[in-house]
Structure formats: structure tokens, C-alpha cells
Amino acid sequence: MYIKETCYGGMDWHDSKLIITQLKWDGKYDIPESKVTDCIVNDILQQFPYLDPMDICFAVLNDQPYKFPLLYLKDDEVVYPEEYEGIWISAGEIKGFSVKETYIGGCNYSTHYSVEAIPEEQLCYIAEEHFYAYSKGVPLVERFYHAPFRRLDEAEAYLKTMKKHAPDAELSIQIYNLEEISATDWFQSNMKAAELSSGDPEKGYAIVVDLHIENLKKLASPDPEVRV
């Protein structure tokens, strides 16, 4: 089984971003079905170590809401949020494979865990670079510069040759069902850059930029026959 964690949030579109993480269990992406719940509970505990693992487990397994206060540090001391009419002004909720965080001031985060069984013959690994352009209203831009790998060690070796093209960019391995992902527009547009660059990450990045500029020119064209 493969688990992908997706977290989205912020104050508003000016600073909201989307973070995608491929989870591991015991150092491996391929997680035994019997350990899926343990993996999710462990990931939640890393974010909220003061919660009871049994309460988290019950909420995940039974799809029942478990609400809790979002603690914070002040002068090196752990502080509970204030309550208003019996409700914490900063609170979290776990329900099934989802976690919601609501902070005072309007900051919100929503995390979801998607669990997928991928047939061996469709399993693929993609080395990706993730950009955050939230100031432009784009919470995440996902790019890859090489065709999907069928072996993890090859994907990891290629990832080591990549470098970040923005200070807050992230490089990671993402796992997909090849048949399903190859049918998406996102995959096909990235594959175009990967093919033109022959898998070279620096050439691939330059090609992606050029293609983006070309699309912007088309969007600005007064010619009604021009389509993107």
C-alpha cells in the first residue's frame, strides 16, 4: 500500500500552499496493509505529540471526530488555547483519514491521507520539484524533468542530480499508478519537457520556463483563433 499526505492551508490565497508528502513505514514506501493505520497515527503524532495514540487510532479507524486543543509555546512554556463558550479558540479535529486545524486569527490547515494499492506492473516513481507561488494564488507547482522510473533506486539516484530552482522548493520522490497518471494533462505537459531535454534536469527546467512563457504569450494574443 502507498500513502500520500496532502496538506493545504494558510490565512488566505496570499499565503496558502499545498504540501504533498509520500509517507514511509520502517524506511520503505511500500507499506504493509496491516500497518496503514499505524503509519497514519504515527504521522499525526509527529505533528501533535501530546495526543493519546489510542484516541487518534479510534478516530482514524472508526471515522469518528476527535477534537483537541492546539497547544502552543509561550516563554518556553506549553499553553492551552483560551475557551469561548466551551469551545477552544484554536482547535484540531481528526476524523478518518483527515485532520483539520483551526487557529485564532483565521489560519486553517486541512490534511488528508490517501491510501492506494498499486499493481506491480503499474508502479512508477517520479522525481519531482515542487514550487510554491502562493503570492500569485498558486499553492503548488509540480514539475518533473525525467520520464517515470520503474525502479526506486534509479529514481533516488536521479533525485540526487537535481537542484532546487527556488529557495523554498522541495525535491521528492512521488509514487503513482502509471496508467492513471499518464492520462492526465499535468503528466503529458511535463513529459514534453522531459523528452525535449533528454532527462537532463537543468535543460528540463529551462524548457519548462520557455513553454510557460510561450503559453502566456498565447493567452495575451488578440487572435481569437489562438488556443492554449
Side-chain angles (χ1 to χ4, degrees):
M1 306 297 285
Y2 297 89
I3 304 177
K4 201 179 290 288
E5 175 190 2
T6 305
C7 178
Y8 174 78
M11 288 289 291
D12 55 33
W13 67 269
H14 289 93
D15 72 346
S16 291
K17 63 181 181 179
L18 179 66
I19 302 173
I20 301 175
T21 307
Q22 195 76 46
L23 297 190
K24 289 183 178 181
W25 178 260
D26 197 23
K28 299 178 180 179
Y29 290 115
D30 188 3
I31 302 168
E33 188 172 0
S34 62
K35 296 298 183 181
V36 167
T37 299
D38 292 339
C39 184
I40 294 174
V41 170
N42 184 65
D43 191 70
I44 295 174
L45 274 174
Q46 290 185 38
Q47 180 70 19
F48 310 106
Y50 52 88
L51 298 183
D52 187 328
M54 295 305 295
D55 289 335
I56 300 175
C57 188
F58 183 85
V60 171
L61 283 175
N62 296 282
D63 199 28
Q64 294 293 317
Y66 166 48
K67 298 182 180 181
F68 56 93
L70 293 169
L71 309 187
Y72 62 95
L73 285 175
K74 184 177 181 180
D75 298 327
D76 295 326
E77 293 186 4
V78 177
V79 180
Y80 274 79
E82 297 178 6
E83 291 187 36
Y84 179 74
E85 295 184 351
I87 300 175
W88 294 299
I89 58 175
S90 293
E93 179 183 287
I94 301 168
K95 185 177 186 292
F97 288 174
S98 297
V99 181
K100 294 181 180 180
E101 303 165 59
T102 303
Y103 293 87
I104 183 173
C107 187
N108 299 281
Y109 293 94
S110 179
T111 301
H112 181 72
Y113 298 92
S114 58
V115 182
E116 183 178 12
I118 304 176
E120 186 68 27
E121 65 274 13
Q122 293 298 332
L123 185 63
C124 72
Y125 308 89
I126 298 181
E128 298 184 12
E129 181 171 21
H130 290 180
F131 301 91
Y132 304 105
Y134 37 80
S135 61
K136 298 181 180 179
V138 182
L140 176 65
V141 177
E142 303 171 72
R143 299 296 186 200
F144 66 85
Y145 315 114
H146 192 289
F149 294 91
R150 304 308 295 269
R151 291 177 47 177
L152 176 59
D153 60 341
E154 293 178 348
E156 291 176 330
Y158 179 79
L159 189 71
K160 293 178 181 179
T161 70
M162 297 172 63
K163 72 175 185 180
K164 298 179 180 180
H165 293 94
D168 62 346
E170 298 288 344
L171 303 177
S172 65
I173 300 292
Q174 299 295 325
I175 301 174
Y176 300 95
N177 180 310
L178 182 58
E179 183 178 19
E180 294 178 357
I181 196 65
S182 61
T184 65
D185 292 339
W186 169 80
F187 180 89
Q188 293 171 20
S189 64
N190 277 273
M191 271 301 295
K192 183 177 181 180
E195 291 168 354
L196 290 173
S197 67
S198 300
D200 183 287
E202 290 310 301
K203 291 181 180 178
Y205 175 76
I207 290 171
V208 166
V209 172
D210 289 342
L211 290 173
H212 179 64
I213 293 174
E214 186 62 31
N215 284 335
L216 290 177
K217 290 179 179 178
K218 290 179 180 179
L219 288 172
S221 173
D223 186 351
E225 295 300 317
V226 174
R227 294 189 178 91
V228 177

